[in-house]
Amino acid sequence: MQVICNNKSLFLSLLALVSSPSSAREFELIYGHHGIQTDYDPVDGWNLGLSYNLNNDFNDRTQTRRLPVDQLTLIAPPLAKGILPDGFTFLADPGETVWVLPQAFDSANHFLGMRVLADAGIFQTRVGDNYSNIGRGTISFALKSATGSGPDRGGQFAQWESLPLGGNEVYLTTRDGIDESDEIPTLPAGAHSHFNWAFSKPGNYFLEFEVAGRLRASGEDTSHRQTFHFQVPHSGELTEINASLCHLDQDWALALRDPENGVLYGPRRALVVAAASAEDDGFSCPCSFDALGTDFPDIVGLSADFAQSGAASSLTDPASLRLTRHTGPGEVSFGTHFQTADGLTDADQIDLTNAVTGNLKFTEPGIHTLTFQPIHPTASKVPPLVIRCVAGIGFQHSFADWADSYERAYDLPSGSLADPSGDWNGDGCDHIMEFLLDSAGADPVRDNPDSSHFLPRYDLASQRFTFFRDLTKDPLDEASPNLLLSDSSDLVNWRTLGPKNRGRPLEYAESGAEEGNAVSPFIRRSLLLSPVPKKWFFRLIAE
């Protein structure tokens, strides 16, 4: 077990917790047992939202906690992704990639139910299109619209029930259009049911639902609509570099475009996979650099204003990019613009007066991190700009791949980094933690960076502790290694969030901290605490 604890940032966070006003909270949930809950009260009327129970007894109304839907996003976790088998053409064709929030409980996924909190006898009971005063009364739940970048790129949504004796009862599907048939016709008062919820493309899905019923006392029809936000992560996997140098105010970023899917990835939110070269024994990928802004539907890890603000339009003088470091085995080159074989100098730079294209080449397989510095009169104190690549190993590479790559990058004896519990450079961070945080900038040989991506820290604007996750290495299941959140009020007694303790959103839980309107597997997350304590400590654990 390994702990990362940044004492400096923790001390600063104590002051911030005491002095800063509370800000609006957003809930970006990636797992957990929750229910889309319908409340109806004869005086207060309808409420349609998301809820959970403190004691997990969903029949105990006294323990119900409700989340504000306008501050809520449900993100599909890694293990929601799979290949669609035969028999589900109401969602997509067999063999297509889909994301399913399952009807059955899975600790690494959402367990999303439906609840009706309404007293028996308020509504009439519906059978088909007929109503009567028999029984407890029922309401209906219907899909009215599906919008967002997911549907815009052809993504479909479906909800269905897996039947005990086999087969499926399909209630909601967008694949054949949305009409009056897209409904659960009868949910009885007091219902708590579970269904499958699925999506066929990455992006944002804004699903508008309507609950409706006929009041028993007056015979009046009454209804209510509410929109829920679901988010399917983009892959974060690129096979070419299409880089945009952005500049806004005093900030710089090197973003990567995915034009085919309409996605822009901010710093460290994507990984480029270089293929075996057809010309030699090395590896290569198409590569282009420019200083133009990007206006794509989905932006990961950057604000829309930042993404659209290319350095060419925001600055009066042209900018360049200089390669200052290559961390990885072997050598790297990009035409005549830079090459590491003869050492890096001020001449290893890319003039961005115009767009530059070519092939990026690596001589050896492994993990490759390219570090750039913008060259411009206003860019004297800019944090390094990074592009991460792999060559000859998989996008979801193993700990053994990681250890072998860094051993060759630093000319270490074979096996130096092979022990997950080892700490080759003696910085107090073991190898398995550095593997989990590789995408955030961890390095098993050099000192780890004091950067906003790598270290957990307190964010004043959101009043949260933030940290960086790589969901390709820890998909939030119970298989090792796990990156766990731990917090304490006294540095003695610690409470840990993880696969066996998911927390509760209105008390303490993991939530989001990303800029932009989309996410990838490389994602900034945060720890929610309510009420915000005056003194608190936060750490990460790998086990």
Side-chain angles (χ1 to χ4, degrees):
M1 179 181 292
Q2 175 66 40
V3 171
I4 285 184
C5 193
N6 180 359
N7 292 325
K8 181 178 179 182
S9 67
L10 285 172
F11 175 71
L12 294 175
S13 72
L14 298 183
L15 301 178
L17 284 168
V18 173
S19 61
S20 296
S22 178
S23 57
R25 169 164 296 169
E26 294 184 357
F27 302 89
E28 298 177 10
L29 307 181
I30 204 165
Y31 48 60
H33 186 185
H34 304 98
I36 289 184
Q37 178 173 307
T38 302
D39 292 271
Y40 185 84
D41 181 86
V43 176
D44 298 329
W46 293 98
N47 186 295
L48 182 58
L50 194 84
S51 70
Y52 63 94
N53 268 50
L54 293 177
N55 58 4
N56 284 324
D57 179 0
F58 279 74
N59 294 314
D60 184 353
R61 297 190 188 185
T62 65
Q63 298 297 300
T64 299
R65 297 294 182 269
R66 297 167 178 82
L67 298 177
V69 177
D70 60 349
Q71 298 180 33
L72 174 70
T73 300
L74 297 176
I75 301 174
L79 294 187
K81 185 178 181 179
I83 302 300
L84 192 68
D86 292 334
F88 297 86
T89 55
F90 54 84
L91 174 62
D93 292 333
E96 289 192 34
T97 299
V98 296
W99 291 258
V100 180
L101 316 183
Q103 179 176 328
F105 176 74
D106 182 342
S107 63
N109 207 326
H110 291 282
F111 189 39
L112 184 60
M114 296 189 66
R115 303 179 67 188
V116 179
L117 291 191
D119 293 335
I122 290 179
F123 292 103
Q124 295 184 21
T125 298
R126 176 183 166 186
V127 179
D129 291 329
N130 300 311
Y131 292 84
S132 72
N133 290 334
I134 298 173
R136 298 176 58 83
T138 64
I139 66 167
S140 62
F141 181 90
L143 175 67
K144 292 302 179 182
S145 67
T147 58
S149 60
D152 286 348
R153 59 173 52 93
Q156 307 297 336
F157 161 72
Q159 184 215 56
W160 72 94
E161 182 181 7
S162 300
L163 302 176
L165 299 180
N168 303 302
E169 182 72 33
V170 182
Y171 293 108
L172 314 176
T173 175
T174 61
R175 199 173 192 199
D176 59 357
I178 300 174
D179 56 30
E180 293 182 355
S181 67
D182 291 292
E183 71 166 357
I184 303 174
T186 56
L187 286 170
H192 178 198
S193 306
H194 280 266
F195 303 89
N196 302 285
W197 310 72
F199 309 86
S200 68
K201 298 285 185 183
N204 293 290
Y205 292 76
F206 296 93
L207 304 180
E208 183 186 36
F209 298 117
E210 180 183 78
V211 287
R214 181 168 294 177
L215 296 174
R216 188 169 296 193
S218 64
E220 176 187 359
D221 290 330
T222 178
S223 63
H224 176 72
R225 295 189 181 190
Q226 181 67 61
T227 299
F228 288 77
H229 182 201
F230 293 82
Q231 197 169 63
V232 177
H234 292 280
S235 70
E237 181 175 359
L238 300 174
T239 56
E240 63 181 65
I241 292 175
N242 187 331
S244 167
L245 180 62
C246 302
H247 175 265
L248 182 65
D249 298 328
Q250 298 181 358
D251 295 323
W252 296 76
L254 190 56
L256 299 180
R257 301 184 184 95
D258 179 0
E260 181 180 353
N261 295 299
V263 187
L264 182 73
Y265 294 99
R268 299 186 179 274
R269 295 332 194 262
L271 182 63
V272 181
V273 180
S277 173
E279 301 175 357
D280 50 40
D281 294 334
F283 306 85
S284 67
C285 66
C287 185
S288 66
F289 291 88
D290 63 50
L292 307 175
T294 306
D295 187 11
F296 280 171
D298 283 355
I299 303 170
V300 181
L302 280 178
S303 70
D305 289 343
F306 204 167
Q308 295 169 15
S309 183
S313 60
S314 66
L315 300 170
T316 56
D317 300 318
S320 299
L321 274 175
R322 181 164 65 89
L323 182 68
T324 59
R325 179 182 292 126
H326 163 234
T327 303
E331 308 297 342
V332 61
S333 63
F334 179 50
T336 60
H337 303 286
F338 61 73
Q339 55 181 343
T340 59
D342 58 356
L344 290 175
T345 68
D346 289 348
D348 290 289
Q349 64 179 271
I350 307 166
D351 182 354
L352 296 181
T353 303
N354 298 298
V356 177
T357 62
N359 284 316
L360 184 70
K361 297 183 177 182
F362 301 98
T363 61
E364 291 190 26
I367 302 166
H368 299 269
T369 301
L370 306 180
T371 303
F372 297 90
Q373 180 71 28
I375 306 300
H376 189 268
T378 65
S380 59
K381 296 182 180 180
V382 179
L385 308 181
V386 168
I387 295 178
R388 300 178 57 248
C389 307
V390 292
I393 61 175
F395 176 75
Q396 292 185 275
H397 47 273
S398 67
F399 175 81
D401 291 330
W402 170 88
D404 172 68
S405 180
Y406 277 97
E407 286 169 1
R408 289 184 292 113
Y410 287 108
D411 294 323
L412 303 181
S414 178
S416 296
L417 305 176
D419 180 4
S421 63
D423 181 9
W424 193 89
N425 61 359
D427 65 354
C429 184
D430 66 11
H431 297 153
I432 196 64
M433 176 66 85
E434 287 170 322
F435 167 69
L436 288 171
L437 294 178
D438 181 44
S439 62
D443 191 300
V445 178
R446 299 198 329 264
D447 289 338
N448 287 316
D450 184 8
S451 74
S452 60
H453 287 104
F454 176 63
L455 289 172
R457 60 188 55 229
Y458 186 75
D459 182 74
L460 274 171
S462 64
Q463 290 199 322
R464 299 179 186 178
F465 287 105
T466 64
F467 63 101
F468 202 77
R469 273 200 182 280
D470 181 346
L471 296 174
T472 69
K473 296 184 174 71
D474 175 15
L476 306 174
D477 60 4
E478 297 187 24
S480 180
N482 293 136
L483 185 67
L484 308 178
L485 296 76
S486 191
D487 66 289
S488 171
S489 61
D490 55 13
L491 293 176
V492 176
N493 300 297
W494 291 87
R495 175 177 57 182
T496 300
L497 285 170
K500 297 180 181 178
N501 177 23
R502 299 299 190 183
R504 302 183 181 97
L506 289 172
E507 286 73 37
Y508 74 108
E510 181 177 327
S511 186
E514 279 286 44
E515 289 189 278
N517 67 339
V519 295
S520 79
F522 312 106
I523 184 172
R524 177 166 294 286
R525 301 289 285 167
S526 66
L527 175 67
L528 292 176
L529 292 172
S530 181
V532 178
K534 292 185 176 181
K535 183 177 69 172
W536 216 254
F537 303 90
F538 171 67
R539 66 184 183 182
L540 296 179
I541 303 172
E543 62 179 26

